[in-house]
Amino acid sequence: MSELFSVKMRASAQGEHVSGAERIVPEGEVARTISSLADRALHHAKGRPDFINLKLEKPGDILELDALPVATETVSTPEEGWDLIGRLLASEGFRRADEIRSLFKETYRMRGAMLLHADTLERLEPDPERGVRATYMDQAGPVPYATQKSHFREALVLATKVSSAPGIVGEICMSDDPDYVTGYVATKNLGYRRITVLKQKGDPAGGRIFLYRGRKRDVQKTIRFLERQAVLVRGVPVDRPVDVWTQLRSELDALKSASLERTVKAANPSAKIFAANDYLGLAKTFGGSTGSRLLTGTTPAHLALERELARFKGAEAALLYATGYMANVGLISALAGKEDVIFSDALNHASIIDGCRLSGARVVIYDHLDLADLDAKLAIYPGRRRFVVSDGVFSMDGDLLPLPGFLAVCKRHGAFSIVDEAHANGVIGKTGRGLAEHFGCDAPDATVGTLSKAFGAEGGFVTGRQLLIDYLVNRSRSFIFSTAPSVPSVETALKSVRHLASRPSLVAKLWRNVRYFAELLQARGIKVEPQSAIFPIFVGDEAAALRKSAELASRGFVASAIRHPTVPRGEARIRIAISALHTKADLRRLARSL
Ligand code: WAQ
Ligand code: MG
């Protein structure tokens, strides 16, 4: 757990209190918290402040408390509300509820609460104009995405802290927000009882009364607890995050009912086309693509390839993109928006990084393949919707995502999972269908692939539920605003996918080469544990890696030196990618040259 900080805001206008709020947050959240509290101060129903105080400090020891249980009492008028408070207080042994209510006339200008002796109604706060302020408190764990104030959550945190202060036996609260008519009464015994109506809308009256029972000389201890003891409250109900699938469904439904929904259809070949961009007819002559997929670019071959890819991946549907780069960019930026959070592996491919940036979502980077770090970050970064994205096989190191553990972490936190299997398709799994086949587990919510690696063609694709694909057809800009891949290119890919689907022996052949090459390297003292067809041969120094690559070239091998910024500085390597095409003799010669 990173260090916690207390952040407090109070705002006033012409010396009059306007609003106040506070949080206890990890260091990484400090800057955002300050900016969101400043924003809140500047937009308060009471008016514009001319003074805003933002305070950042380290809190003392932190006490963790469980939130008071919550119940809602529905009433329709303030009279009913106050009658109910009278009865609830009476049931707890407080006899003078009516007099307590009338004291709310005096609380309006107070920044803090009135501290009353529960039986004598004597006022015990040292400064009756200010009152006693409960402070240094927040809810434990992630705070929901809402940037707006939640009266309820903040009040529950305060009431929980107040109820555990020594000597405090009850609290009554009415918001001073003119439009917020719900208040509460709280005791340890009653829990937190929300009363839906305590005042008329538009009434600026409000305030808090803390009821105290105990020796007068101990009041100071109570005040110290309220004003100094840092408290984190566990179990505060959170706003329910928005479910990604529900959101996709409702956006699509809205498009449909406005006659704005798009679908992909192959053009009628006998129709006269007046929708293409084939201005000179050359596309028709030479087999080029005539337009984007939603206009004239979809042919039966495109649809066949998409069906074949879906089948290969065991998914409901697939969508073809012009390149793998565009698939990542188009998928991620269509799904996530600025209220969302994307958790992204530190070594993800550039196309994933660009998709994250383009989405406008907040991006939280977790340590490479570190599921514990991912888990910890999911626990502290809230968002309207949350996505986790990882490469399946990392292109520079060849290491493999442990998919079952990854999916379990995503599921535990209700996050949507995206895995890019560019270097996994055709390689990982007995028949090359990727990580889900290899681990015998479910597929991620969305899977990205490319046709330009093991499939030996070109293009990218996304597979997943039909709903996801329908959504992308309508929302994925790199799909919508690009010319469709040409028919020859699609036909090449189609043949290749069908070929691989019917010849799992190809994958076995690749792996015989991978294992043979690994043994050759091990015999030469190079430690390798291949998880894919990619072998990073670590060199370190950039110049040395270039020399090594040139030396290999002089012996007739092409193997690239991978340097900064693709990998960190000082971690240059020779990247060797094995193919089923290599012969044992090739592999032996290369191993000797290394
Ligand atoms: N400590 C003591 N008293 C305070 C504090 C504090 N930290 N903050 C506010 N008060 C006093 C002050 O007199 C305000 O005028 C009054 O309480 C009301 O404060 O479950 O919004 O922040 O939906 O306006 C109740 C939520 C919302 C009910 C209460 O209080 C629900 C609310 P506000
Ligand atoms: Mg208020």
Side-chain angles (χ1 to χ4, degrees), residues 22 107-108 110-113 132-135 137 149 151-152 155 158 173-177 180 182-184 192 194 206-208 210:
E22 63 170 287
T107 57
Y108 174 50
M110 295 170 64
R111 273 189 58 225
V132 175
R133 274 188 72 78
T135 181
M137 62 209 169
K149 172 182 172 86
H151 288 88
F152 163 61
L158 183 147
C173 168
M174 175 163 68
S175 175
D176 59 4
D177 212 321
Y180 202 81
T182 301
Y184 65 89
Y192 179 97
R194 309 179 75 179
R208 275 191 163 90
F210 299 161

Side-chain angles (χ1 to χ4, degrees), residues 538-557:
F538 194 82
V539 180
D541 181 64
E542 283 78 14
L546 279 180
R547 278 197 304 276
K548 189 87 214 163
S549 171
E551 186 191 319
L552 288 171
S554 73
R555 297 174 193 221
F557 298 106

Side-chain angles (χ1 to χ4, degrees), residues 196-212:
T196 51
V197 184
L198 280 185
K199 66 180 188 182
Q200 231 59 272
K201 233 184 160 71
D203 182 353
R208 275 191 163 90
I209 293 178
F210 299 161
L211 298 172
Y212 174 84

